[in-house]
Amino acid sequence: MTEHPTSHEGRQPLAARPQERARPRQEAAAGLPSDVPGQAGGPTAAATPAPDAQPAGPAAAAGTGHPDPLGGTGHPNSPGFPGGTGHPGAVALAVSPQHPGGGDTSARREGDRLRFVGAATRRIARGIDLDEIVLGLCRATVPTFSDEILVYLRDPLPVGDERPVAPFVLRLRRTDRLRLSDLEGEDLVLVPDPDPTPAAELCEVRAGGALAEVLRGVRPVFGDGAAARTALAELLGAEHPLPGGLRAILAPLRGRRRVIGAAVFLRRPERAGFEPNDLLVAAQLATHTALGIDKAVLYGREAYIADELQRTMLPDSLPQPTGVKLASRYLPAAETARVGGDWYDAIPLPGSRVALVVGDVMGHSMTSAAIMGQLRTTAQTLAGLDLPPQEVLHHLDEQAQRLGENRMATCMYAVYDPVSHRITVANAGHPPPILLHLGGRAEVLRVPPGAPIGVGGVDFEAVELDAPAGATLLLYTDGLVESRLRDVWTGIEQLRERLAATAQLTGPDHSPPLEALCDDVLDMLGPGDRDDDIALLAARFDGIAPSDVAYWFLEPEDAAPGRARRLARRALARWDLEELTDSVELLVSEVVTNAVRYAERPVTLRLLRTDVLRCEVGDDSPQLPRQRRARDTDEGGRGLFLVNRLARRWGATRLSGGKVVWFELATRT
C-alpha cells in the first residue's frame, strides 16, 4: 500500500520568490544557463546563487522561515542535490550564471551533502520499531534526495543469530513518492502522487541471479548498468518495467550479519541524475537503516518474549468460588516499558473460602517478571497449605531473600470466608484496599502497612474485618493511584471518591456490576498517569446464608458413618433436596468411613447449599486419599471410585492440621 508523508499534504508554495519562480523558464527560452533540472542549457551541478537569491548556509535556512524538518542545519536550497530541497514541501529553483570560482561552490555542495546525511541518519535513528525506522528513511530522502523510494525487506526478517528461512523472499514494505504540479500557472508545488512506480509486492531472490549478486556486493549501484538493470527488473517484477527516463540507485540493506532488504532511490527525468558522491550518501542511509532495523527486530522479539512471560504468569481466568464474584484488569505501563512485576490471583481454599492476592515487584524488566512468577507460584503453594495470611507473607519474604539481594516486592493477601462473612487481611508495604458498601459508602480499610517483601527480619500482622453481603473489595497496585502528577494518598482518595460516585448511580439497594466498575475505575487515569503497571482485582461478597449451612462434629468411631447419613438426610429434607438423598448418603458414608479409619480427633462434616450441594469432611490425618483400581478380590478401595463416578467434582486439600475431602453434586435448576 502506498503511503505518503503527512507533511506534504495540501499544496505548498515554493521557497523561491515569485520573480525567481518565473525566471528559469524565461532564461531557458533565452538560452541562459540554469540549475533547474531538465531545462535547456542547464548544468548538472547547481550554479552559484544570484545576487538576489537567498544566501547559502544555515543562516539562510533560518531566514527563509522554513526550518529543516530533518533536524539538521542544511540549507533548504541545497546545491548538492539538483532540483532537491531540504524542506519536504518546497523545491528551490534559484538561478544564477556560472561563477568562475567553482571551488567554493563544490565545497558548499559537499558541506550541504554532509549536513543532509547527518540530519537524515538522526531521523532514522529516532525510530524505535521497524515501521518508524522505514518511515524515517522515506521522509528523510523524499524529495530531498530522490523523488521516490521503494523499500524491500526480507520476509520473514531473521532475528539475531537465527538462520533465515529459505527461499530468500523480499516484500515491498513501503513506497513514497511526490510529484511537481503546475496547475496554478507559475506556482510549482510538491503534492503527493497517488500513482507510484508500479512494483511487485513479493520478489523471490534467485540464487546466482543478478539481484542476488548486487545484494551480495552490499555497495549501492546506479540503475543504468547492465547488472543493475537486470537486478531492478527482477526486484520490481517482469510485469512492472521501470519507466523510461527514471534514474535509480539500488542500495542493499545489510544488517549486522546478513542482507535484510534493499532500497531503490528514483529520480524523475525533469531532475538532474545522481552523481558518484550520491552513492556514498545512499550507502550511509542504507547502513543506518539496516542496523536500525536489526536492533528494532531484536528489541521487538525481547519485548514480545518478556510480555508473553509476564502474561503467562498471570491467571488466564479467575475461579468462581462459592459466595463471591471476581473481576480483574491488568494494564502495562507503556509500549516502551510494558514488562513489569504486577500480579493478581484468586485461590480457592478449603471450606469455600478464597484467597485474594495482589502484588507488585519493584522494577520494569524481564527479571521483575521472572521474580513475579516465582513469588506468585510460592504464594499459591503456601495458600494450598491453608496458612494464615501473615504466615504466607513471612514465607514470601524468606523466598524473596533466597532469590537474591534487592528482590523487593509489595503484596496484599486477604482470605474471605463466605460462611462467617469475615475477611482476614495481611499487608506487606502495599496500598490499602478499599471496601465499597452496598449503600454506596467507600472506605479505605485500616490494615497495618507492614514492610515490603524482601526486607527480612520483620513481622507481619493480620487483621480480621467484617465483609457484609453486597460489599465490594478492591485490591490494586500503586500504578492506579500514584504517578508523576499526584502522590499515592491523593490518588487513593480520588479512587475512593470515584467508587462512591459510581455506586450512587446504581442506587442504595444494588451493587454496581463488577466489570463496569473495573472499567470505570480505569477511566480515572489521565494521559500522564500511566507511569507504572496496573493490576486490579475486585471481589463482590455475596456470602452464604446461615440457613444454607449444616455443620456437625463426629467422633472417630464405627457408628460415625451411620450418624453422618442420618444427619445428611435431615438436612436435605429441610432444603427440599430429597432427590439427592441416595447419592449423598452413599458418598458421605464412603468419605466419612475413610476419615474415621485414620482420624484420632473428631471428624467434621459440613453441607453447603448454593447453586450446588457441597459436602466437606475434615480430619486430623495429613495423608491425602488416592483413587486406585481395586482388584476383584479386594474388600476395599472402591470408595473414591464411587465418589469420582457420582460427584460433579471432588478433591482433597491438605491443611496445617490435617486435610479436607470434599465433593459437589448438582441441584435441580
Side-chain angles (χ1 to χ4, degrees):
M1 186 171 73
T2 303
E3 299 183 47
H4 304 287
T6 56
S7 58
H8 303 300
E9 293 179 358
R11 303 176 62 86
Q12 301 182 8
L14 296 173
R17 302 177 184 178
Q19 62 269 25
E20 293 172 344
R21 288 195 291 266
R23 186 181 304 160
R25 297 180 177 179
Q26 299 169 359
E27 292 180 346
L32 296 177
S34 171
D35 64 348
V36 181
Q39 296 291 344
T44 301
T48 306
D52 61 341
Q54 293 291 345
T64 60
H66 298 288
D68 185 357
L70 301 178
T73 57
H75 190 277
N77 300 343
S78 174
F81 303 100
T85 175
H87 191 279
V91 164
L93 298 175
V95 179
S96 64
Q98 285 284 5
H99 194 279
D104 293 341
T105 302
S106 177
R108 187 171 70 251
R109 290 170 56 196
E110 293 304 318
D112 289 338
R113 180 177 282 108
L114 290 176
R115 282 191 290 271
F116 163 74
V117 171
T121 52
R122 284 195 298 272
R123 181 160 193 166
I124 295 170
R126 283 201 296 265
I128 296 178
D129 60 22
L130 189 148
D131 290 330
E132 290 180 349
I133 293 171
V134 174
L135 176 62
L137 171 65
C138 296
R139 295 286 174 85
T141 55
V142 178
T144 309
F145 182 69
S146 63
D147 296 316
E148 185 177 356
I149 183 173
L150 298 96
V151 181
Y152 283 84
L153 295 181
R154 197 162 189 160
D155 185 27
L157 276 170
V159 180
D161 297 331
E162 71 179 20
R163 296 181 62 86
V165 298
F168 188 166
V169 176
L170 293 177
R171 179 182 292 275
L172 183 61
R173 186 78 184 194
R174 184 181 177 91
T175 173
D176 275 5
R177 181 181 184 181
L178 297 176
R179 64 181 175 88
L180 289 172
S181 174
D182 58 353
L183 297 179
E184 299 181 1
E186 300 298 334
D187 290 338
L188 300 179
V189 296
L190 282 169
V191 297
D193 191 344
D195 299 318
T197 298
E201 183 73 18
L202 291 175
C203 170
E204 182 175 339
V205 182
R206 300 190 304 271
L211 180 57
E213 292 300 323
V214 172
L215 295 179
R216 185 179 295 111
V218 177
R219 298 171 182 261
V221 296
F222 288 124
D224 53 0
R229 284 198 302 269
T230 306
L232 283 173
E234 182 181 346
L235 180 63
L236 302 181
E239 67 279 10
H240 303 297
L242 196 64
L246 282 180
R247 277 68 60 87
I249 289 181
L250 176 56
L253 302 178
R254 179 176 176 82
R256 293 185 305 128
R257 299 184 181 276
R258 58 185 62 88
V259 173
I260 60 174
V264 181
F265 303 95
L266 300 173
R267 283 188 183 175
R268 299 177 63 87
E270 61 268 17
R271 185 171 180 175
F274 291 105
E275 301 177 359
N277 285 340
D278 292 333
L279 291 179
L280 300 178
V281 175
Q284 288 283 341
L285 299 178
T287 298
H288 281 81
T289 301
L291 293 177
I293 291 174
D294 252 1
K295 294 178 181 178
V297 172
L298 282 173
Y299 170 78
R301 174 62 64 88
E302 291 180 359
Y304 170 79
I305 293 174
D307 186 62
E308 286 298 307
L309 172 66
Q310 182 182 29
R311 291 190 179 277
T312 53
M313 293 178 181
L314 295 174
D316 293 331
S317 60
L318 293 175
Q320 297 299 326
T322 303
V324 61
K325 294 182 177 66
L326 303 172
S328 64
R329 293 291 186 274
Y330 172 78
L331 291 179
E335 193 68 19
T336 56
R338 52 185 170 181
V339 182
D342 292 22
W343 90 90
Y344 62 89
D345 214 342
I347 309 168
L349 301 178
S352 299
R353 296 170 300 148
V354 59
L356 308 173
V357 190
V358 168
D360 182 5
V361 178
M362 298 182 183
H364 289 84
S365 63
M366 292 185 64
T367 301
S368 300
I371 294 173
M372 176 269 287
Q374 292 174 302
L375 292 180
R376 178 174 178 248
T377 302
T378 303
Q380 290 179 326
T381 303
L382 296 172
L385 298 176
D386 201 27
L387 298 179
Q390 66 272 21
E391 290 296 323
V392 172
L393 294 183
H394 175 74
H395 289 294
L396 284 177
D397 179 65
E398 293 180 338
Q399 175 67 10
Q401 295 179 64
R402 285 192 292 267
L403 293 177
E405 298 181 357
N406 300 323
R407 305 306 192 198
M408 308 285 288
T410 63
C411 183
M412 181 74 65
Y413 189 94
V415 175
Y416 170 64
D417 189 340
V419 177
S420 64
H421 296 270
R422 304 280 289 178
I423 185 169
T424 305
V425 186
N427 188 14
H430 205 76
I434 297 179
L435 185 64
L436 178 63
H437 293 268
L438 184 60
R441 180 174 63 92
E443 65 169 326
V444 180
L445 297 183
R446 297 179 178 273
V447 297
I453 292 172
V455 173
V458 296
D459 292 330
F460 298 97
E461 182 180 353
V463 293
E464 188 173 349
L465 305 170
D466 288 329
T472 303
L473 183 71
L474 195 70
L475 304 178
Y476 53 91
T477 56
D478 58 357
L480 181 64
V481 294
E482 185 179 21
S483 69
R484 290 171 293 179
L485 306 179
R486 60 186 177 187
D487 61 82
V488 61
W489 289 108
T490 300
I492 292 174
E493 180 61 23
Q494 292 178 357
L495 176 59
R496 188 194 66 79
E497 295 174 354
R498 183 82 174 204
L499 290 173
T502 302
Q504 294 296 330
L505 299 177
T506 58
D509 300 329
H510 297 85
S511 301
L514 275 185
E515 298 293 338
L517 180 66
C518 292
D519 293 336
D520 191 68
V521 165
L522 295 180
D523 287 342
M524 67 178 283
L525 297 172
D529 293 342
R530 292 288 302 281
D531 299 331
D532 197 0
D533 296 357
I534 298 173
L536 180 66
L537 180 62
R540 171 72 41 74
F541 299 142
D542 294 333
I544 300 176
S547 59
D548 293 328
V549 181
Y551 192 85
W552 303 280
F553 286 96
L554 303 175
E555 293 295 330
E557 55 189 13
D558 295 340
R563 183 166 179 259
R565 289 194 295 269
R566 292 191 298 272
L567 295 174
R569 188 185 313 116
R570 295 173 187 172
L572 294 176
R574 186 170 67 251
W575 292 335
D576 195 20
L577 296 175
E578 288 89 348
E579 69 274 10
L580 299 179
T581 300
D582 293 340
S583 298
V584 171
E585 285 188 359
L586 176 59
L587 298 183
V588 165
S589 179
E590 293 293 340
V591 176
V592 171
T593 298
N594 187 75
V596 169
R597 179 177 302 175
Y598 301 102
E600 297 181 358
R601 298 178 182 178
V603 174
T604 61
L605 172 63
R606 184 164 73 168
L607 295 179
L608 302 173
R609 183 187 65 167
T610 56
D611 54 339
V612 297
L613 179 69
R614 182 182 177 97
C615 175
E616 299 173 348
V617 177
D619 61 75
D620 60 347
S621 173
Q623 183 178 358
L624 297 180
R626 293 288 184 268
Q627 183 181 353
R628 62 184 180 87
R629 182 177 298 274
R631 294 172 296 184
D632 295 340
T633 57
D634 291 342
E635 296 182 359
R638 297 176 177 83
L640 290 182
F641 177 79
L642 293 174
V643 173
N644 186 62
R645 291 296 299 271
L646 297 179
R648 178 189 178 190
R649 292 195 310 156
W650 76 278
T653 305
R654 182 179 286 111
L655 305 179
S656 57
K659 67 175 181 295
V660 168
V661 180
W662 57 271
F663 64 84
E664 292 178 352
L665 293 173
T667 60
R668 66 177 183 270
T669 57

